[in-house]
Amino acid sequence: KHNLALEISPHESFADVRALAQKIWDEQLGVIRVQGASHGELVTLYSSLYRLLMYPNSAYENTGSASKPVYRYASPFSPEVSKDTATQTGARIVNGKVFVNNGFWDTYRTAWPAYALLMPKQAGTMIDGFVQEYRDGGWIARWSSPGYADLMVGTSADVAFADAWLKGVHNFDVRSFYQAALKDATVVSPLMGTGRKGLQRSIFNGYTDKDVKEGLSWSMDGYIADFAIGNLAHALAGQGDGADPYRDQYAEDAVYFRNRALDYVNLFDPDIGFFVGKDAQGNWRYTKENFDPFRWGDDYTETDAWNMAFHAPQDGAGLATLSGGRGALAAKLDQFFATPGIYHVGSYGAPIHEMREAQAVRMGQYGHSNQPSHHIIYMYDYTGEPWKAQDKVRDVLARLSVGSSIGQGYLGDEDNGEMSGWWLFSAAGFYPLRMGTPEYVIGAPYFPHMDITLENGKHIVINAPNVSDTNRYIQSVRVNGQPWNNVT
């Protein structure tokens, strides 16, 4: 009631509140304008932007006044201090602002880089709201719902927030965040919903072994996180902040974590040609004779070996080397998209919805309906054949996100705006493939004209006047009027 009174004055009518809400949403959705779009495409565009902006959520209240706010929250991260009563929470009451409700495994590749691009100030505020979890309970959630939920693999907030800092979002407590990320990567957590599972052995072996459920996925997402942590450490070392008590350690950390990020090579079985799990002694889970690339589960989270075959976006050159060169990596991608979309239920024991949704994509093994596959199309940019990425991005945008009736629009997991973020980046013609760096790779614009208004008032204007479903390949690129010959 107190916060309602702070937000809405007694003399405001329902119509007044509705008009104010309309004004706020018009401003939020108005940051992207396009030309040459059909009504259905506009629905998809603004639905995606709307979904992206729905998460994460604030979980604090102003217990003071409008002129002298005092922000506090009932903590889901610390132990309760007493029993709940009918009128009083038993939770520990903490000063500060906290944000909740985000599955970082899903959102770190698409939604968070979109926040960093479109609303960097708000992104920093939200990031600090998650760092508050660390200041409160000692950890940042892997999956915040709103507390420490034991869901999915990877400490992917480490990637999302390091990436934001490296892209220029600096209005959050980066020192505390770095310590939280360092803890994720090096300390065994006593809480099921925090930290990295299997760390007791993986920190020495260099991989999460198969005795940990979905250990290979834990390994691969860990390498991506280590890459981002290493790059953030390098950036913080370069600042030389004399007031930072950890300043002398950043340079050493940068080397350590960048090297750890390359350990994915030890999980590539050259006889099989895929990433495969190992036991703690270093023995492969499968032999060439009993390996099934269509089997879901076991080593892989919500997917199979095919969709994890390209799970090193932090080191495309290294992945190409493992595959036998850039041409061989391109051929492997070609085979991936040409292999029928069959699945074997594997350790799941029965079909899960992600299996059926991946099959419905009708792009071979490509499971665009879920997070592990979102980057795969753009891996063609590492092979010297970016036109193949342009072709397949257009296919996804034109075919898989159409309609707005029940069963249309989103073909799979739209967790906290993850697929909406993918759509928005891909429609703009660039994508944050190598998270943990201040760079994007080029895809292909979907609309003849898109204008993105940035928070600082500047604009990103993308012109592709002749683009269409049939004219989908980039012939040349200019950036600020100058020829641009790189894919990044």
Side-chain angles (χ1 to χ4, degrees):
K1 289 181 179 179
H2 176 69
N3 277 265
L4 180 63
L6 288 174
E7 291 185 12
I8 301 174
S9 64
H11 67 270
E12 286 182 301
S13 67
F14 180 84
D16 293 332
V17 175
R18 183 184 185 281
L20 179 59
Q22 180 75 51
K23 180 175 182 294
I24 292 171
W25 275 109
D26 285 348
E27 291 173 353
Q28 292 288 324
L29 300 180
V31 300
I32 298 180
R33 303 283 185 181
V34 298
Q35 296 175 8
S38 67
H39 174 75
E41 289 168 337
L42 291 174
V43 169
T44 299
L45 166 61
Y46 292 112
S47 295
S48 296
L49 191 52
Y50 167 76
R51 281 284 305 178
L52 183 72
L53 295 170
M54 289 180 70
Y55 302 96
N57 309 128
S58 60
Y60 57 87
E61 300 177 38
N62 180 4
T63 62
S65 64
S67 59
K68 295 182 178 180
V70 178
Y71 296 107
R72 310 179 82 190
Y73 64 94
S75 176
F77 316 107
S78 294
E80 293 181 343
V81 296
S82 62
K83 296 290 185 182
D84 289 343
T85 70
T87 58
Q88 183 70 37
T89 179
R92 176 173 173 248
I93 305 301
V94 180
N95 292 327
K97 295 182 177 182
V98 69
F99 279 77
V100 298
N101 294 344
N102 213 254
F104 293 106
W105 181 76
D106 293 279
T107 58
Y108 84 89
R109 296 177 191 272
T110 56
W112 281 100
Y115 301 143
L117 176 68
L118 298 175
M119 52 185 74
K121 184 177 179 180
Q122 179 63 20
T125 298
M126 295 188 299
I127 289 170
D128 202 67
F130 282 103
V131 177
Q132 176 63 24
E133 298 179 6
Y134 168 73
R135 295 189 289 254
D136 176 353
W139 301 86
I140 295 175
R142 290 202 314 271
W143 186 290
S144 168
S145 59
Y148 297 139
D150 186 19
L151 297 172
M152 310 318 296
V153 302
T155 52
S156 299
D158 300 342
V159 192
F161 301 166
D163 182 80
W165 179 270
L166 293 165
K167 285 186 167 78
V169 178
H170 291 172
N171 61 318
F172 66 92
D173 180 2
V174 71
R175 292 188 204 168
S176 292
F177 162 65
Y178 184 84
Q179 293 302 315
L182 188 65
K183 192 174 181 181
D184 281 340
T186 61
V187 177
V188 176
S189 175
L191 305 175
M192 293 296 290
T194 63
R196 300 189 193 179
K197 292 188 178 180
L199 193 61
Q200 298 93 327
R201 296 184 298 276
S202 67
I203 201 168
F204 302 105
N205 287 338
Y207 62 90
T208 308
D209 58 68
K210 71 182 185 65
D211 288 341
V212 177
K213 182 182 178 183
E214 299 166 347
L216 185 131
S217 287
W218 274 102
S219 294
M220 301 301 275
D221 282 315
Y223 303 138
I224 294 171
D226 288 344
F227 174 75
I229 294 170
N231 287 347
L232 177 59
H234 178 75
L236 295 176
Q239 287 187 344
D241 185 352
D244 187 345
Y246 199 76
R247 64 185 181 277
D248 294 333
Q249 305 302 316
Y250 289 125
E252 186 175 345
D253 284 2
V255 174
Y256 172 68
F257 283 108
R258 284 171 163 176
N259 282 331
R260 267 184 34 167
L262 301 176
D263 281 344
Y264 73 91
V265 301
N266 298 316
L267 292 175
F268 182 81
D269 186 337
D271 290 334
I272 292 176
F274 286 89
F275 291 109
V276 180
K278 290 180 175 179
D279 65 19
Q281 288 71 45
N283 302 304
W284 298 110
R285 176 192 288 271
Y286 302 110
T287 65
K288 190 172 184 179
E289 289 70 32
N290 66 10
F291 175 70
D292 178 2
F294 306 112
R295 178 181 172 87
W296 281 53
D298 293 323
D299 291 332
Y300 316 108
T301 300
E302 293 184 357
T303 192
D304 60 9
W306 262 119
N307 281 276
M308 291 297 290
F310 312 98
H311 212 80
Q314 76 276 17
D315 186 28
L319 182 65
T321 299
L322 277 183
S323 304
R326 293 202 301 173
L329 179 58
K332 186 72 171 282
L333 285 162
D334 292 346
Q335 184 183 3
F336 170 75
F337 286 104
T339 299
I342 60 174
Y343 60 82
H344 298 152
V345 297
S347 64
Y348 286 100
I352 59 175
H353 69 86
E354 288 87 354
M355 296 173 187
R356 295 192 174 100
E357 290 158 0
Q359 195 174 50
V361 171
R362 302 196 308 281
M363 293 179 68
Q365 278 292 303
Y366 178 58
H368 182 76
S369 52
N370 205 9
Q371 180 271 359
S373 304
H374 282 340
H375 69 289
I376 294 177
I377 287 176
Y378 290 98
M379 295 298 283
Y380 273 118
D381 280 6
Y382 283 134
T383 72
E385 300 180 9
W387 56 88
K388 292 181 179 178
Q390 296 162 24
D391 175 47
K392 296 188 185 307
V393 166
R394 186 79 190 188
D395 192 20
V396 172
L397 292 173
R399 187 170 58 81
L400 299 182
S401 299
V402 297
S404 53
S405 299
I406 295 298
Q408 297 179 325
Y410 297 107
L411 73 161
D413 286 0
E414 165 57 1
D415 291 328
N416 302 136
E418 62 155 301
M419 297 189 72
S420 292
W422 190 96
W423 194 96
L424 290 165
F425 272 118
S426 296
F430 57 94
Y431 185 79
L433 174 62
R434 204 166 178 238
M435 288 292 292
T437 65
E439 66 185 40
Y440 305 90
V441 297
I442 293 174
Y446 185 71
F447 297 106
H449 177 87
M450 178 182 283
D451 188 325
I452 303 172
T453 304
L454 301 178
E455 196 173 67
N456 60 8
K458 295 183 178 180
H459 293 253
I460 298 175
V461 179
I462 302 110
N463 287 312
N466 297 316
V467 71
S468 67
D469 284 347
T470 55
N471 194 22
R472 58 178 63 189
Y473 300 102
I474 292 176
Q475 304 303 313
S476 62
V477 176
R478 288 181 175 270
V479 177
N480 295 329
Q482 300 301 313
W484 190 268
N485 298 314
N486 298 318
V487 294
T488 57

